[in-house]
Amino acid sequence: MIDDFAKAYLHDDLRWVRESLLFKLDGLTEYDVRRPLTKTGTNLLGLIKHLTLSEARYFGEIFDRPYPERLPRFDDPGYANRDHLWVTEQESRADIVEGYKRAWQHADATIEALPIDAPGFVPWWPRPNVKLFNVMVHVLTETNRHAGNADILREQLDGGVGAGPVTTSDDDWDAHRSKIEKAAREAQLRDIGPGH
């Protein structure tokens, strides 16, 4: 009973965060979904592309349920994770989003078909013998991590925050930010103290 509950709970969270990630693309130009917004080139559409590979691989070959589309292998000569965290000009937004949704379908089919204690094998992990539970937690954690990246990137681009339309005014955020800035400056002054 607890296994079914845990599996359903993790799966529901994964479904929610996937949709939240795609929401971050809404209303943005092709340039804005692709542009590098950090020193390492992190961008919104690239995060989606990366998570496609992650879901397809972890819920595919790890459980002897190969993903039907060709995927780069982590052990391919010259494989670099960063090569799959951005989108070329030839790849369309629709292709990337639809690819992510196909990976969801494959992952969902694996999750639904197997019990939470189904064995899998992740050759690049230090303890490669895993259960579906381990992989669900790993993919959910990774997806949430990148959803946090996407939250910050979207806020940088146009101030958009949250997992849906936001009704808080810019004035409310400006006042909130000012309060945080004031506290940070006062803490810095207190830390420096007199005579420093």
Side-chain angles (χ1 to χ4, degrees):
M1 183 72 166
I2 189 68
D3 288 352
D4 292 339
F5 173 79
K7 185 171 121 173
Y9 189 89
L10 292 170
H11 200 182
D12 285 347
D13 276 3
L14 182 58
R15 287 181 178 120
W16 180 85
V17 74
R18 290 168 175 162
E19 293 290 345
S20 174
L21 266 162
L22 288 185
F23 171 76
K24 294 299 176 185
L25 305 176
D26 286 356
L28 294 177
T29 66
E30 284 302 313
Y31 174 67
D32 282 341
V33 298
R34 297 162 182 267
R35 66 191 267 207
L37 293 164
T38 68
K39 179 180 177 181
T40 59
T42 306
N43 62 91
L44 289 168
L45 204 54
L47 292 172
I48 302 297
K49 183 177 179 180
H50 168 72
L51 289 168
T52 299
L53 177 59
S54 183
E55 287 216 26
R57 171 95 348 101
Y58 277 105
F59 291 112
E61 70 184 59
I62 300 306
F63 296 101
D64 287 326
R65 298 173 60 89
Y67 191 66
E69 300 174 31
R70 188 188 176 296
L71 298 171
R73 297 186 50 81
F74 299 151
D75 58 356
D76 284 344
Y79 175 86
N81 196 39
R82 69 182 181 185
D83 293 340
H84 305 282
L85 278 160
W86 67 283
V87 179
T88 69
E89 60 275 15
Q90 289 83 23
E91 297 172 288
S92 75
R93 180 193 315 215
D95 288 343
I96 298 299
V97 169
E98 289 308 311
Y100 190 36
K101 289 180 178 180
R102 287 192 306 277
W104 295 358
Q105 291 169 349
H106 186 79
D108 289 347
T110 296
I111 293 167
E112 290 162 6
L114 300 177
I116 199 164
D117 62 348
F121 186 76
V122 185
W124 54 89
W125 283 11
R127 292 183 296 184
N129 294 306
V130 298
K131 304 286 186 201
L132 179 63
F133 172 80
N134 305 101
V135 171
M136 289 181 75
V137 169
H138 174 78
V139 172
L140 178 60
T141 300
E142 181 175 2
T143 306
N144 271 303
R145 177 177 170 228
H146 291 311
N149 298 146
D151 286 342
I152 292 168
L153 296 180
R154 181 64 192 250
E155 186 176 348
Q156 255 185 287
L157 285 167
D158 68 357
V161 296
V166 177
T167 57
T168 307
S169 76
D170 284 344
D171 290 342
D172 290 339
W173 286 118
D174 290 344
H176 180 70
R177 189 179 184 291
S178 292
K179 178 173 57 176
I180 296 169
E181 178 67 28
K182 180 178 182 254
R185 288 188 183 281
E186 288 177 4
Q188 176 68 17
L189 290 173
R190 186 180 65 244
D191 189 46
I192 294 172
H196 286 106

